[in-house]
Amino acid sequence: MIDDVKVTQCIVDRYFEEFSDHTEVDVAIAGAGPAGLVAGRYLADMGHQVVIFERKLSPGGGMWGGGMGYPVVVVQESSVEELEKVGVEVKDTKDGYYTADSISSVANLLSSAIDSGVRIFNMVTVEDVLYEEERVNGVVINSSPIEIAGLHVDPITIRSEATLDATGHDADVCTVVEKKAGELNTEKGKVIGEKSMWAEVGEKTVVENTKEVFPGLWTTGMCANAVMGAPRMGPIFGGMLLSGKKAAELIDSELK
Ligand code: 48F
């Protein structure tokens, strides 16, 4: 016999038990795109408690659709191992470019992050930060359906030792910090905004730009380039993976 109310109780009990375990964490990540997922996995493997809040129903960010909806992504030699180590089959075109199925890439990045202990809460939007003593000490979250409906409902707060903005082109967390908390560690003290497509430069700068941009707040992935005013790069993903790894290393050394 299946009791429908018991099914409800199972969901509610498990959800709130897990949510309750993640109200104070080592690292809170906004956005479950490739950069956030890689950063989360490395940090969890280093022994940190990591939570990712993802605005959409499906984590994975902009990687699902490859280029223009053709489900293939391109990576460079330097990042092939970041896909292979999580079980993605990578094909060598023999002229310096490597391809992977975009759906397999997202599926494996996701499952490896979860297997490492990262807890992903989907349909949750980071709308602000916890700002105390001139430092970002966590994220302020709301239900995405509430945000999308424009309902006037107050958000709730998660405390984190480190906060990582992995929201991609939006750079949502940095944007709110610049508006409400103070100057970012950029040339103009604010989010400069991404430049038009130039993969050769964008792929290099996305790793260079991965850094702590405000006390307690780091950037990774396309967000790092958007904040620093560097170019976008389209469906080549090596820089996203390497940026996620670098963010994890920077945060790990800070938390130590
Ligand atoms: O956009 P996204 O995939 O960022 P990424 O990891 O990778 C960028 C590439 O996909 C591509 C590119 C390079 O090839 O240019 O665009 O840097 O993933 C960002 C995730 O953050 C979520 C969003 O739904 C997406 O899944 N997100 C955005 N704003 C918020 C958010 C927010 N305020 N709160 C929570 N999640």
Side-chain angles (χ1 to χ4, degrees), residues 73-111:
V73 293
V74 174
V75 293
Q76 315 82 314
E77 191 175 7
S78 56
S79 47
V80 166
E81 75 168 305
E82 296 305 321
L83 287 181
E84 287 186 336
K85 73 167 65 149
V86 297
V88 180
E89 188 197 333
V90 180
K91 286 189 184 159
D92 184 354
T93 65
K94 307 286 183 205
D95 50 10
Y97 299 85
Y98 297 78
T99 61
D101 180 276
S102 64
I103 297 169
S104 166
S105 301
V106 176
N108 283 288
L109 289 174
L110 266 170
S111 66

PDB file of all heavy atoms in Angstrom, residues 73-111:
ATOM      1  N   VAL A  73      30.525  20.462 -27.170  1.00  0.00           N
ATOM      2  CA  VAL A  73      31.390  21.540 -26.685  1.00  0.00           C
ATOM      3  C   VAL A  73      32.821  21.278 -27.136  1.00  0.00           C
ATOM      4  O   VAL A  73      33.201  20.143 -27.415  1.00  0.00           O
ATOM      5  CB  VAL A  73      31.352  21.687 -25.138  1.00  0.00           C
ATOM      6  CG1 VAL A  73      29.982  22.164 -24.681  1.00  0.00           C
ATOM      7  CG2 VAL A  73      31.750  20.401 -24.438  1.00  0.00           C
ATOM      8  N   VAL A  74      33.584  22.355 -27.183  1.00  0.00           N
ATOM      9  CA  VAL A  74      34.996  22.273 -27.565  1.00  0.00           C
ATOM     10  C   VAL A  74      35.827  22.607 -26.341  1.00  0.00           C
ATOM     11  O   VAL A  74      35.462  23.494 -25.560  1.00  0.00           O
ATOM     12  CB  VAL A  74      35.287  23.275 -28.720  1.00  0.00           C
ATOM     13  CG1 VAL A  74      36.773  23.321 -29.047  1.00  0.00           C
ATOM     14  CG2 VAL A  74      34.459  22.911 -29.951  1.00  0.00           C
ATOM     15  N   VAL A  75      36.927  21.863 -26.164  1.00  0.00           N
ATOM     16  CA  VAL A  75      37.901  22.236 -25.129  1.00  0.00           C
ATOM     17  C   VAL A  75      39.305  22.184 -25.728  1.00  0.00           C
ATOM     18  O   VAL A  75      39.526  21.551 -26.767  1.00  0.00           O
ATOM     19  CB  VAL A  75      37.848  21.329 -23.867  1.00  0.00           C
ATOM     20  CG1 VAL A  75      36.553  21.495 -23.116  1.00  0.00           C
ATOM     21  CG2 VAL A  75      38.087  19.870 -24.221  1.00  0.00           C
ATOM     22  N   GLN A  76      40.233  22.839 -25.047  1.00  0.00           N
ATOM     23  CA  GLN A  76      41.628  22.826 -25.463  1.00  0.00           C
ATOM     24  C   GLN A  76      42.363  21.695 -24.746  1.00  0.00           C
ATOM     25  O   GLN A  76      41.870  21.175 -23.743  1.00  0.00           O
ATOM     26  CB  GLN A  76      42.322  24.144 -25.106  1.00  0.00           C
ATOM     27  CG  GLN A  76      41.592  25.402 -25.418  1.00  0.00           C
ATOM     28  CD  GLN A  76      40.550  25.811 -24.386  1.00  0.00           C
ATOM     29  OE1 GLN A  76      39.762  25.012 -23.927  1.00  0.00           O
ATOM     30  NE2 GLN A  76      40.541  27.102 -24.052  1.00  0.00           N
ATOM     31  N   GLU A  77      43.559  21.401 -25.238  1.00  0.00           N
ATOM     32  CA  GLU A  77      44.322  20.281 -24.674  1.00  0.00           C
ATOM     33  C   GLU A  77      44.516  20.419 -23.160  1.00  0.00           C
ATOM     34  O   GLU A  77      44.408  19.454 -22.412  1.00  0.00           O
ATOM     35  CB  GLU A  77      45.690  20.181 -25.373  1.00  0.00           C
ATOM     36  CG  GLU A  77      46.398  18.898 -25.015  1.00  0.00           C
ATOM     37  CD  GLU A  77      47.711  18.714 -25.779  1.00  0.00           C
ATOM     38  OE1 GLU A  77      48.133  19.645 -26.495  1.00  0.00           O
ATOM     39  OE2 GLU A  77      48.308  17.635 -25.615  1.00  0.00           O
ATOM     40  N   SER A  78      44.767  21.669 -22.727  1.00  0.00           N
ATOM     41  CA  SER A  78      45.077  21.899 -21.305  1.00  0.00           C
ATOM     42  C   SER A  78      43.930  21.520 -20.364  1.00  0.00           C
ATOM     43  O   SER A  78      44.137  21.348 -19.164  1.00  0.00           O
ATOM     44  CB  SER A  78      45.435  23.369 -21.093  1.00  0.00           C
ATOM     45  OG  SER A  78      44.381  24.174 -21.566  1.00  0.00           O
ATOM     46  N   SER A  79      42.724  21.405 -20.896  1.00  0.00           N
ATOM     47  CA  SER A  79      41.605  21.101 -19.995  1.00  0.00           C
ATOM     48  C   SER A  79      40.924  19.774 -20.301  1.00  0.00           C
ATOM     49  O   SER A  79      39.922  19.445 -19.657  1.00  0.00           O
ATOM     50  CB  SER A  79      40.593  22.237 -20.029  1.00  0.00           C
ATOM     51  OG  SER A  79      40.327  22.579 -21.353  1.00  0.00           O
ATOM     52  N   VAL A  80      41.476  19.015 -21.238  1.00  0.00           N
ATOM     53  CA  VAL A  80      40.890  17.710 -21.569  1.00  0.00           C
ATOM     54  C   VAL A  80      40.757  16.863 -20.299  1.00  0.00           C
ATOM     55  O   VAL A  80      39.735  16.223 -20.056  1.00  0.00           O
ATOM     56  CB  VAL A  80      41.757  16.980 -22.626  1.00  0.00           C
ATOM     57  CG1 VAL A  80      41.372  15.521 -22.730  1.00  0.00           C
ATOM     58  CG2 VAL A  80      41.625  17.665 -23.978  1.00  0.00           C
ATOM     59  N   GLU A  81      41.800  16.904 -19.462  1.00  0.00           N
ATOM     60  CA  GLU A  81      41.769  16.028 -18.281  1.00  0.00           C
ATOM     61  C   GLU A  81      40.649  16.388 -17.305  1.00  0.00           C
ATOM     62  O   GLU A  81      40.168  15.539 -16.562  1.00  0.00           O
ATOM     63  CB  GLU A  81      43.129  15.977 -17.570  1.00  0.00           C
ATOM     64  CG  GLU A  81      43.456  17.178 -16.775  1.00  0.00           C
ATOM     65  CD  GLU A  81      44.673  16.966 -15.856  1.00  0.00           C
ATOM     66  OE1 GLU A  81      44.678  16.023 -15.066  1.00  0.00           O
ATOM     67  OE2 GLU A  81      45.601  17.781 -15.949  1.00  0.00           O
ATOM     68  N   GLU A  82      40.220  17.676 -17.339  1.00  0.00           N
ATOM     69  CA  GLU A  82      39.124  18.069 -16.425  1.00  0.00           C
ATOM     70  C   GLU A  82      37.817  17.376 -16.809  1.00  0.00           C
ATOM     71  O   GLU A  82      36.959  17.153 -15.962  1.00  0.00           O
ATOM     72  CB  GLU A  82      38.939  19.587 -16.418  1.00  0.00           C
ATOM     73  CG  GLU A  82      40.122  20.362 -15.872  1.00  0.00           C
ATOM     74  CD  GLU A  82      40.528  19.913 -14.471  1.00  0.00           C
ATOM     75  OE1 GLU A  82      39.639  19.622 -13.652  1.00  0.00           O
ATOM     76  OE2 GLU A  82      41.741  19.830 -14.214  1.00  0.00           O
ATOM     77  N   LEU A  83      37.659  17.072 -18.096  1.00  0.00           N
ATOM     78  CA  LEU A  83      36.463  16.325 -18.513  1.00  0.00           C
ATOM     79  C   LEU A  83      36.685  14.828 -18.346  1.00  0.00           C
ATOM     80  O   LEU A  83      35.817  14.104 -17.860  1.00  0.00           O
ATOM     81  CB  LEU A  83      36.108  16.656 -19.971  1.00  0.00           C
ATOM     82  CG  LEU A  83      35.502  18.035 -20.213  1.00  0.00           C
ATOM     83  CD1 LEU A  83      35.181  18.225 -21.697  1.00  0.00           C
ATOM     84  CD2 LEU A  83      34.222  18.242 -19.393  1.00  0.00           C
ATOM     85  N   GLU A  84      37.859  14.363 -18.755  1.00  0.00           N
ATOM     86  CA  GLU A  84      38.102  12.909 -18.695  1.00  0.00           C
ATOM     87  C   GLU A  84      38.069  12.385 -17.266  1.00  0.00           C
ATOM     88  O   GLU A  84      37.598  11.278 -17.020  1.00  0.00           O
ATOM     89  CB  GLU A  84      39.428  12.577 -19.377  1.00  0.00           C
ATOM     90  CG  GLU A  84      39.304  12.701 -20.886  1.00  0.00           C
ATOM     91  CD  GLU A  84      40.531  12.250 -21.651  1.00  0.00           C
ATOM     92  OE1 GLU A  84      41.646  12.248 -21.088  1.00  0.00           O
ATOM     93  OE2 GLU A  84      40.377  11.935 -22.849  1.00  0.00           O
ATOM     94  N   LYS A  85      38.559  13.206 -16.319  1.00  0.00           N
ATOM     95  CA  LYS A  85      38.617  12.687 -14.940  1.00  0.00           C
ATOM     96  C   LYS A  85      37.223  12.494 -14.330  1.00  0.00           C
ATOM     97  O   LYS A  85      37.078  11.761 -13.357  1.00  0.00           O
ATOM     98  CB  LYS A  85      39.524  13.535 -14.050  1.00  0.00           C
ATOM     99  CG  LYS A  85      38.993  14.873 -13.653  1.00  0.00           C
ATOM    100  CD  LYS A  85      39.826  15.492 -12.518  1.00  0.00           C
ATOM    101  CE  LYS A  85      41.246  15.814 -12.923  1.00  0.00           C
ATOM    102  NZ  LYS A  85      41.821  16.971 -12.214  1.00  0.00           N
ATOM    103  N   VAL A  86      36.195  13.138 -14.923  1.00  0.00           N
ATOM    104  CA  VAL A  86      34.837  12.894 -14.410  1.00  0.00           C
ATOM    105  C   VAL A  86      34.061  11.942 -15.326  1.00  0.00           C
ATOM    106  O   VAL A  86      32.854  11.756 -15.172  1.00  0.00           O
ATOM    107  CB  VAL A  86      34.039  14.208 -14.182  1.00  0.00           C
ATOM    108  CG1 VAL A  86      34.713  15.057 -13.129  1.00  0.00           C
ATOM    109  CG2 VAL A  86      33.840  14.998 -15.474  1.00  0.00           C
ATOM    110  N   GLY A  87      34.766  11.351 -16.303  1.00  0.00           N
ATOM    111  CA  GLY A  87      34.133  10.291 -17.094  1.00  0.00           C
ATOM    112  C   GLY A  87      33.560  10.708 -18.437  1.00  0.00           C
ATOM    113  O   GLY A  87      32.805   9.948 -19.048  1.00  0.00           O
ATOM    114  N   VAL A  88      33.924  11.892 -18.916  1.00  0.00           N
ATOM    115  CA  VAL A  88      33.414  12.337 -20.220  1.00  0.00           C
ATOM    116  C   VAL A  88      34.352  11.831 -21.327  1.00  0.00           C
ATOM    117  O   VAL A  88      35.580  11.956 -21.206  1.00  0.00           O
ATOM    118  CB  VAL A  88      33.344  13.882 -20.290  1.00  0.00           C
ATOM    119  CG1 VAL A  88      32.806  14.347 -21.645  1.00  0.00           C
ATOM    120  CG2 VAL A  88      32.494  14.430 -19.160  1.00  0.00           C
ATOM    121  N   GLU A  89      33.770  11.302 -22.382  1.00  0.00           N
ATOM    122  CA  GLU A  89      34.595  10.852 -23.512  1.00  0.00           C
ATOM    123  C   GLU A  89      34.938  12.070 -24.383  1.00  0.00           C
ATOM    124  O   GLU A  89      34.049  12.800 -24.825  1.00  0.00           O
ATOM    125  CB  GLU A  89      33.811   9.833 -24.349  1.00  0.00           C
ATOM    126  CG  GLU A  89      34.654   9.168 -25.417  1.00  0.00           C
ATOM    127  CD  GLU A  89      33.801   8.490 -26.479  1.00  0.00           C
ATOM    128  OE1 GLU A  89      32.665   8.086 -26.159  1.00  0.00           O
ATOM    129  OE2 GLU A  89      34.267   8.414 -27.625  1.00  0.00           O
ATOM    130  N   VAL A  90      36.237  12.279 -24.586  1.00  0.00           N
ATOM    131  CA  VAL A  90      36.685  13.450 -25.346  1.00  0.00           C
ATOM    132  C   VAL A  90      37.324  12.982 -26.651  1.00  0.00           C
ATOM    133  O   VAL A  90      38.130  12.058 -26.656  1.00  0.00           O
ATOM    134  CB  VAL A  90      37.708  14.268 -24.519  1.00  0.00           C
ATOM    135  CG1 VAL A  90      38.181  15.498 -25.303  1.00  0.00           C
ATOM    136  CG2 VAL A  90      37.094  14.703 -23.187  1.00  0.00           C
ATOM    137  N   LYS A  91      36.927  13.628 -27.769  1.00  0.00           N
ATOM    138  CA  LYS A  91      37.497  13.251 -29.064  1.00  0.00           C
ATOM    139  C   LYS A  91      38.517  14.282 -29.513  1.00  0.00           C
ATOM    140  O   LYS A  91      38.273  15.488 -29.425  1.00  0.00           O
ATOM    141  CB  LYS A  91      36.393  13.151 -30.124  1.00  0.00           C
ATOM    142  CG  LYS A  91      35.538  11.916 -29.963  1.00  0.00           C
ATOM    143  CD  LYS A  91      34.602  11.760 -31.157  1.00  0.00           C
ATOM    144  CE  LYS A  91      33.687  10.560 -30.921  1.00  0.00           C
ATOM    145  NZ  LYS A  91      32.488  10.618 -31.737  1.00  0.00           N
ATOM    146  N   ASP A  92      39.642  13.786 -30.030  1.00  0.00           N
ATOM    147  CA  ASP A  92      40.738  14.636 -30.497  1.00  0.00           C
ATOM    148  C   ASP A  92      40.546  14.891 -31.993  1.00  0.00           C
ATOM    149  O   ASP A  92      40.519  13.952 -32.788  1.00  0.00           O
ATOM    150  CB  ASP A  92      42.061  13.886 -30.230  1.00  0.00           C
ATOM    151  CG  ASP A  92      43.273  14.713 -30.590  1.00  0.00           C
ATOM    152  OD1 ASP A  92      43.111  15.807 -31.155  1.00  0.00           O
ATOM    153  OD2 ASP A  92      44.394  14.246 -30.287  1.00  0.00           O
ATOM    154  N   THR A  93      40.403  16.170 -32.387  1.00  0.00           N
ATOM    155  CA  THR A  93      40.231  16.458 -33.816  1.00  0.00           C
ATOM    156  C   THR A  93      41.578  16.454 -34.548  1.00  0.00           C
ATOM    157  O   THR A  93      41.635  16.634 -35.750  1.00  0.00           O
ATOM    158  CB  THR A  93      39.575  17.839 -34.040  1.00  0.00           C
ATOM    159  OG1 THR A  93      40.476  18.836 -33.570  1.00  0.00           O
ATOM    160  CG2 THR A  93      38.240  17.957 -33.324  1.00  0.00           C
ATOM    161  N   LYS A  94      42.664  16.306 -33.784  1.00  0.00           N
ATOM    162  CA  LYS A  94      44.042  16.239 -34.291  1.00  0.00           C
ATOM    163  C   LYS A  94      44.589  17.592 -34.759  1.00  0.00           C
ATOM    164  O   LYS A  94      45.647  17.659 -35.352  1.00  0.00           O
ATOM    165  CB  LYS A  94      44.196  15.231 -35.454  1.00  0.00           C
ATOM    166  CG  LYS A  94      43.685  13.835 -35.144  1.00  0.00           C
ATOM    167  CD  LYS A  94      44.620  13.087 -34.226  1.00  0.00           C
ATOM    168  CE  LYS A  94      44.146  11.664 -33.989  1.00  0.00           C
ATOM    169  NZ  LYS A  94      44.617  11.098 -32.738  1.00  0.00           N
ATOM    170  N   ASP A  95      43.850  18.662 -34.530  1.00  0.00           N
ATOM    171  CA  ASP A  95      44.433  19.963 -34.867  1.00  0.00           C
ATOM    172  C   ASP A  95      44.333  20.938 -33.692  1.00  0.00           C
ATOM    173  O   ASP A  95      44.117  22.135 -33.866  1.00  0.00           O
ATOM    174  CB  ASP A  95      43.815  20.549 -36.151  1.00  0.00           C
ATOM    175  CG  ASP A  95      42.305  20.537 -36.116  1.00  0.00           C
ATOM    176  OD1 ASP A  95      41.739  20.267 -35.033  1.00  0.00           O
ATOM    177  OD2 ASP A  95      41.690  20.815 -37.158  1.00  0.00           O
ATOM    178  N   GLY A  96      44.456  20.371 -32.485  1.00  0.00           N
ATOM    179  CA  GLY A  96      44.513  21.233 -31.300  1.00  0.00           C
ATOM    180  C   GLY A  96      43.177  21.483 -30.621  1.00  0.00           C
ATOM    181  O   GLY A  96      43.129  22.155 -29.595  1.00  0.00           O
ATOM    182  N   TYR A  97      42.103  20.963 -31.195  1.00  0.00           N
ATOM    183  CA  TYR A  97      40.782  21.143 -30.583  1.00  0.00           C
ATOM    184  C   TYR A  97      40.244  19.772 -30.182  1.00  0.00           C
ATOM    185  O   TYR A  97      40.496  18.769 -30.871  1.00  0.00           O
ATOM    186  CB  TYR A  97      39.808  21.794 -31.578  1.00  0.00           C
ATOM    187  CG  TYR A  97      40.234  23.159 -32.031  1.00  0.00           C
ATOM    188  CD1 TYR A  97      41.131  23.313 -33.095  1.00  0.00           C
ATOM    189  CD2 TYR A  97      39.761  24.304 -31.411  1.00  0.00           C
ATOM    190  CE1 TYR A  97      41.536  24.563 -33.518  1.00  0.00           C
ATOM    191  CE2 TYR A  97      40.158  25.568 -31.823  1.00  0.00           C
ATOM    192  CZ  TYR A  97      41.051  25.697 -32.881  1.00  0.00           C
ATOM    193  OH  TYR A  97      41.455  26.938 -33.283  1.00  0.00           O
ATOM    194  N   TYR A  98      39.518  19.746 -29.087  1.00  0.00           N
ATOM    195  CA  TYR A  98      38.934  18.496 -28.592  1.00  0.00           C
ATOM    196  C   TYR A  98      37.442  18.723 -28.415  1.00  0.00           C
ATOM    197  O   TYR A  98      37.021  19.821 -28.033  1.00  0.00           O
ATOM    198  CB  TYR A  98      39.588  18.107 -27.264  1.00  0.00           C
ATOM    199  CG  TYR A  98      41.066  17.821 -27.409  1.00  0.00           C
ATOM    200  CD1 TYR A  98      41.991  18.875 -27.507  1.00  0.00           C
ATOM    201  CD2 TYR A  98      41.544  16.518 -27.478  1.00  0.00           C
ATOM    202  CE1 TYR A  98      43.343  18.628 -27.667  1.00  0.00           C
ATOM    203  CE2 TYR A  98      42.905  16.264 -27.637  1.00  0.00           C
ATOM    204  CZ  TYR A  98      43.793  17.320 -27.730  1.00  0.00           C
ATOM    205  OH  TYR A  98      45.131  17.071 -27.893  1.00  0.00           O
ATOM    206  N   THR A  99      36.634  17.701 -28.702  1.00  0.00           N
ATOM    207  CA  THR A  99      35.189  17.862 -28.590  1.00  0.00           C
ATOM    208  C   THR A  99      34.615  16.863 -27.590  1.00  0.00           C
ATOM    209  O   THR A  99      35.182  15.792 -27.363  1.00  0.00           O
ATOM    210  CB  THR A  99      34.489  17.640 -29.952  1.00  0.00           C
ATOM    211  OG1 THR A  99      34.757  16.307 -30.389  1.00  0.00           O
ATOM    212  CG2 THR A  99      34.953  18.645 -30.988  1.00  0.00           C
ATOM    213  N   ALA A 100      33.474  17.247 -27.019  1.00  0.00           N
ATOM    214  CA  ALA A 100      32.768  16.353 -26.096  1.00  0.00           C
ATOM    215  C   ALA A 100      31.279  16.584 -26.254  1.00  0.00           C
ATOM    216  O   ALA A 100      30.840  17.682 -26.643  1.00  0.00           O
ATOM    217  CB  ALA A 100      33.195  16.638 -24.654  1.00  0.00           C
ATOM    218  N   ASP A 101      30.515  15.553 -25.972  1.00  0.00           N
ATOM    219  CA  ASP A 101      29.054  15.676 -25.965  1.00  0.00           C
ATOM    220  C   ASP A 101      28.670  16.599 -24.812  1.00  0.00           C
ATOM    221  O   ASP A 101      29.081  16.373 -23.668  1.00  0.00           O
ATOM    222  CB  ASP A 101      28.457  14.274 -25.781  1.00  0.00           C
ATOM    223  CG  ASP A 101      26.950  14.311 -25.753  1.00  0.00           C
ATOM    224  OD1 ASP A 101      26.381  14.570 -24.662  1.00  0.00           O
ATOM    225  OD2 ASP A 101      26.342  14.111 -26.805  1.00  0.00           O
ATOM    226  N   SER A 102      27.892  17.631 -25.113  1.00  0.00           N
ATOM    227  CA  SER A 102      27.609  18.623 -24.061  1.00  0.00           C
ATOM    228  C   SER A 102      26.727  18.030 -22.963  1.00  0.00           C
ATOM    229  O   SER A 102      26.867  18.382 -21.785  1.00  0.00           O
ATOM    230  CB  SER A 102      26.957  19.868 -24.651  1.00  0.00           C
ATOM    231  OG  SER A 102      25.708  19.555 -25.204  1.00  0.00           O
ATOM    232  N   ILE A 103      25.847  17.134 -23.336  1.00  0.00           N
ATOM    233  CA  ILE A 103      24.929  16.560 -22.334  1.00  0.00           C
ATOM    234  C   ILE A 103      25.707  15.622 -21.406  1.00  0.00           C
ATOM    235  O   ILE A 103      25.542  15.635 -20.186  1.00  0.00           O
ATOM    236  CB  ILE A 103      23.750  15.854 -23.027  1.00  0.00           C
ATOM    237  CG1 ILE A 103      22.954  16.907 -23.811  1.00  0.00           C
ATOM    238  CG2 ILE A 103      22.851  15.144 -22.017  1.00  0.00           C
ATOM    239  CD1 ILE A 103      21.927  16.356 -24.763  1.00  0.00           C
ATOM    240  N   SER A 104      26.599  14.827 -21.998  1.00  0.00           N
ATOM    241  CA  SER A 104      27.455  13.969 -21.167  1.00  0.00           C
ATOM    242  C   SER A 104      28.334  14.831 -20.255  1.00  0.00           C
ATOM    243  O   SER A 104      28.568  14.486 -19.091  1.00  0.00           O
ATOM    244  CB  SER A 104      28.328  13.095 -22.075  1.00  0.00           C
ATOM    245  OG  SER A 104      29.352  12.511 -21.343  1.00  0.00           O
ATOM    246  N   SER A 105      28.807  15.955 -20.786  1.00  0.00           N
ATOM    247  CA  SER A 105      29.668  16.832 -19.975  1.00  0.00           C
ATOM    248  C   SER A 105      28.915  17.346 -18.754  1.00  0.00           C
ATOM    249  O   SER A 105      29.413  17.272 -17.625  1.00  0.00           O
ATOM    250  CB  SER A 105      30.165  18.020 -20.805  1.00  0.00           C
ATOM    251  OG  SER A 105      30.887  17.563 -21.914  1.00  0.00           O
ATOM    252  N   VAL A 106      27.706  17.863 -18.961  1.00  0.00           N
ATOM    253  CA  VAL A 106      26.942  18.391 -17.820  1.00  0.00           C
ATOM    254  C   VAL A 106      26.602  17.258 -16.851  1.00  0.00           C
ATOM    255  O   VAL A 106      26.771  17.389 -15.637  1.00  0.00           O
ATOM    256  CB  VAL A 106      25.644  19.092 -18.287  1.00  0.00           C
ATOM    257  CG1 VAL A 106      24.831  19.530 -17.074  1.00  0.00           C
ATOM    258  CG2 VAL A 106      25.955  20.289 -19.156  1.00  0.00           C
ATOM    259  N   ALA A 107      26.122  16.129 -17.404  1.00  0.00           N
ATOM    260  CA  ALA A 107      25.699  15.020 -16.536  1.00  0.00           C
ATOM    261  C   ALA A 107      26.859  14.567 -15.644  1.00  0.00           C
ATOM    262  O   ALA A 107      26.693  14.353 -14.438  1.00  0.00           O
ATOM    263  CB  ALA A 107      25.195  13.858 -17.377  1.00  0.00           C
ATOM    264  N   ASN A 108      28.035  14.456 -16.229  1.00  0.00           N
ATOM    265  CA  ASN A 108      29.186  13.974 -15.448  1.00  0.00           C
ATOM    266  C   ASN A 108      29.720  15.030 -14.487  1.00  0.00           C
ATOM    267  O   ASN A 108      30.144  14.696 -13.374  1.00  0.00           O
ATOM    268  CB  ASN A 108      30.282  13.470 -16.380  1.00  0.00           C
ATOM    269  CG  ASN A 108      29.947  12.092 -16.937  1.00  0.00           C
ATOM    270  OD1 ASN A 108      29.999  11.104 -16.225  1.00  0.00           O
ATOM    271  ND2 ASN A 108      29.558  12.035 -18.204  1.00  0.00           N
ATOM    272  N   LEU A 109      29.729  16.289 -14.910  1.00  0.00           N
ATOM    273  CA  LEU A 109      30.170  17.342 -13.973  1.00  0.00           C
ATOM    274  C   LEU A 109      29.219  17.405 -12.775  1.00  0.00           C
ATOM    275  O   LEU A 109      29.642  17.567 -11.628  1.00  0.00           O
ATOM    276  CB  LEU A 109      30.237  18.702 -14.670  1.00  0.00           C
ATOM    277  CG  LEU A 109      31.378  18.885 -15.679  1.00  0.00           C
ATOM    278  CD1 LEU A 109      31.236  20.224 -16.410  1.00  0.00           C
ATOM    279  CD2 LEU A 109      32.749  18.803 -14.997  1.00  0.00           C
ATOM    280  N   LEU A 110      27.929  17.257 -13.062  1.00  0.00           N
ATOM    281  CA  LEU A 110      26.936  17.287 -11.990  1.00  0.00           C
ATOM    282  C   LEU A 110      27.074  16.103 -11.050  1.00  0.00           C
ATOM    283  O   LEU A 110      27.149  16.259  -9.832  1.00  0.00           O
ATOM    284  CB  LEU A 110      25.531  17.231 -12.606  1.00  0.00           C
ATOM    285  CG  LEU A 110      24.822  18.538 -12.875  1.00  0.00           C
ATOM    286  CD1 LEU A 110      23.575  18.285 -13.702  1.00  0.00           C
ATOM    287  CD2 LEU A 110      24.454  19.184 -11.554  1.00  0.00           C
ATOM    288  N   SER A 111      27.108  14.899 -11.627  1.00  0.00           N
ATOM    289  CA  SER A 111      27.109  13.731 -10.733  1.00  0.00           C
ATOM    290  C   SER A 111      28.416  13.660  -9.957  1.00  0.00           C
ATOM    291  O   SER A 111      28.420  13.263  -8.786  1.00  0.00           O
ATOM    292  CB  SER A 111      26.826  12.435 -11.492  1.00  0.00           C
ATOM    293  OG  SER A 111      27.868  12.162 -12.363  1.00  0.00           O
TER     294      SER A 111
END
